[in-house]
Amino acid sequence: MKRREFITLIGGAAAWPLEARAQQAGRRYRVAILGPLPSSFFDELGKAGFAKGGNLDIDSRGDGVAAASYATVAVELAQANPNVLMVVGTEAARAAQKATQRIPIVAIADDLLGSKLVASMPHPEGNTTGVAIFAFQLDAKRLELLHEALPRARRIAVLADREPIPNMSALESAARGFGVEIVPFAARSEEDIIRAIDAMSSAQVEAVNLLASPILSSKFQYVIRDRLALRRLPAIYQWPEQAEDGGLIGYGPRISAVFDQCARQVAKLLRGAKVADVPVEQPTKLELIVNLKTAKTLGVEIPPTLLSRADTTIE
């Protein structure tokens, strides 16, 4: 590349953010949200020039919305004509797609391609892109880690947000290889959770694999953690942060990192990018967190081999 061409290229690249910032300062943007989001999502949008309470209005229906109401709420959000609709979970994404075929949608879900929410990951068609966390595939890996942590456990519960459990056959296949019996439970409300965990004790369950779920991992995560502690049931969770918050083991991508990816996608769409030019992304890193304080409280001794592979141990 010639020197003049190089200088022109660098100059153009440097000018673009200034132009984008000027454009953002001259207008207001609106993002509608269906599902719970961590505060890091808004922090990441702020870094991109879209400040909540500044040039960005947020219409959030995250906490307190039952999955049965997603369809109605999605229509209400779409009718307000936001620039982008951010949704959490496959059920919320389907509701959003039914509500609008025009407004760009950014979804965090297990498998956007397998769920037919997008036709292509590199170049999504229609109005939906997002981050595919492939959590169902990780549920079997979490079962393996839980078995490694508690090799003597022979009855392990799986707690899901629906029945039939979508990936039950894969879990049962993995369990047979470990000589473990899987006992399924489902819950979608606080009352269901308490009832299910109490039933686990009656069923002589020795450990719990908390399956991937935007319902169970959001507003109910502390209900689950505290009830499992009350029943002295060790468990493995979907997000590393849940082990940092008092769970025994957490394995998967950091929830903050995943939503940061979503925020950057939203920012691209707010700047005018087409959905087809915003590829579906995947988490870039998985973490294993073991909380030894919780292990001590539960009377569980984690094998050194598992501890040596943990990214972080909480003393």
Side-chain angles (χ1 to χ4, degrees):
M1 182 180 293
K2 295 180 180 179
R3 181 174 181 272
R4 181 177 297 175
E5 293 172 338
F6 178 78
I7 292 172
T8 301
L9 176 63
I10 294 300
W16 182 86
L18 295 174
E19 180 182 352
R21 283 197 293 270
Q23 180 186 20
Q24 293 157 20
R27 60 172 289 193
R28 295 186 68 82
Y29 299 82
R30 186 180 185 87
V31 173
I33 296 169
L34 180 54
L37 298 182
S39 59
S40 64
F41 175 84
F42 302 105
D43 295 338
E44 193 69 19
L45 276 179
K47 294 176 185 176
F50 301 97
K52 181 181 178 182
N55 64 344
L56 180 64
D57 295 322
I58 299 293
D59 185 359
S60 177
R61 311 290 178 87
D63 294 326
V65 175
S69 302
Y70 282 168
T72 301
V73 174
V75 170
E76 294 173 357
L77 291 173
Q79 288 175 342
N81 197 33
N83 299 100
V84 179
L85 183 53
M86 174 71 211
V87 300
V88 182
T90 302
E91 293 177 79
R94 292 198 193 286
Q97 285 188 337
K98 290 180 181 179
T100 178
Q101 291 78 50
R102 178 184 57 83
I103 299 169
I105 298 169
V106 173
I108 173 174
D110 179 62
D111 185 352
L112 277 80
L113 185 62
S115 301
K116 299 183 179 179
L117 292 168
V118 300
S120 165
M121 290 182 63
H123 300 285
E125 297 178 8
N127 65 330
T128 304
T129 186
V131 177
I133 59 176
F134 296 103
F136 287 161
Q137 288 86 330
L138 293 177
D139 283 339
K141 178 63 177 179
R142 293 187 190 97
L143 179 63
E144 176 188 334
L145 291 169
L146 189 59
H147 171 66
E148 185 175 349
L150 302 160
R152 296 182 181 178
R154 287 295 171 263
R155 286 174 64 81
I156 294 180
V158 292
L159 179 60
D161 62 12
R162 75 192 79 172
E163 287 184 314
I165 296 172
N167 55 337
M168 192 63 184
S169 59
L171 289 167
E172 288 178 334
S173 176
R176 283 193 294 271
F178 305 139
V180 168
E181 179 185 359
I182 290 291
V183 187
F185 294 87
R188 292 177 74 86
S189 68
E190 184 172 343
E191 294 75 17
D192 288 345
I193 290 166
I194 293 172
R195 191 180 305 114
I197 293 175
D198 289 349
M200 291 176 191
S201 296
S202 302
Q204 297 183 323
V205 162
E206 299 164 271
V208 182
N209 185 6
L210 184 64
L211 303 189
S213 164
I215 297 172
L216 299 180
S217 68
S218 58
K219 63 177 295 186
F220 298 130
Q221 63 175 322
Y222 297 116
V223 176
I224 294 170
R225 181 200 64 188
D226 294 346
R227 199 70 182 182
L228 288 172
L230 178 66
R231 295 298 182 183
R232 298 185 63 79
L233 283 169
I236 188 166
Y237 296 79
Q238 175 183 1
W239 306 106
E241 290 96 331
Q242 290 173 296
E244 293 173 340
D245 286 339
L248 177 62
I249 304 171
Y251 177 72
R254 281 198 168 270
I255 190 170
S256 55
V258 170
F259 278 100
D260 284 354
Q261 288 178 274
C262 290
R264 290 190 288 270
Q265 291 176 320
V266 169
K268 290 178 183 178
L269 294 169
L270 291 176
R271 291 193 185 105
K274 296 180 181 179
V275 172
D277 296 329
V278 181
V280 173
E281 299 181 17
Q282 301 176 49
T284 57
K285 181 181 179 182
L286 304 177
E287 290 186 46
L288 173 62
I289 308 291
V290 179
N291 192 319
L292 292 176
K293 291 173 62 177
T294 300
K296 184 177 180 180
T297 299
L298 294 172
V300 171
E301 185 173 346
I302 304 296
T305 52
L306 182 60
L307 291 177
S308 67
R309 288 164 40 216
D311 295 278
T312 303
T313 57
I314 300 171
E315 301 291 342

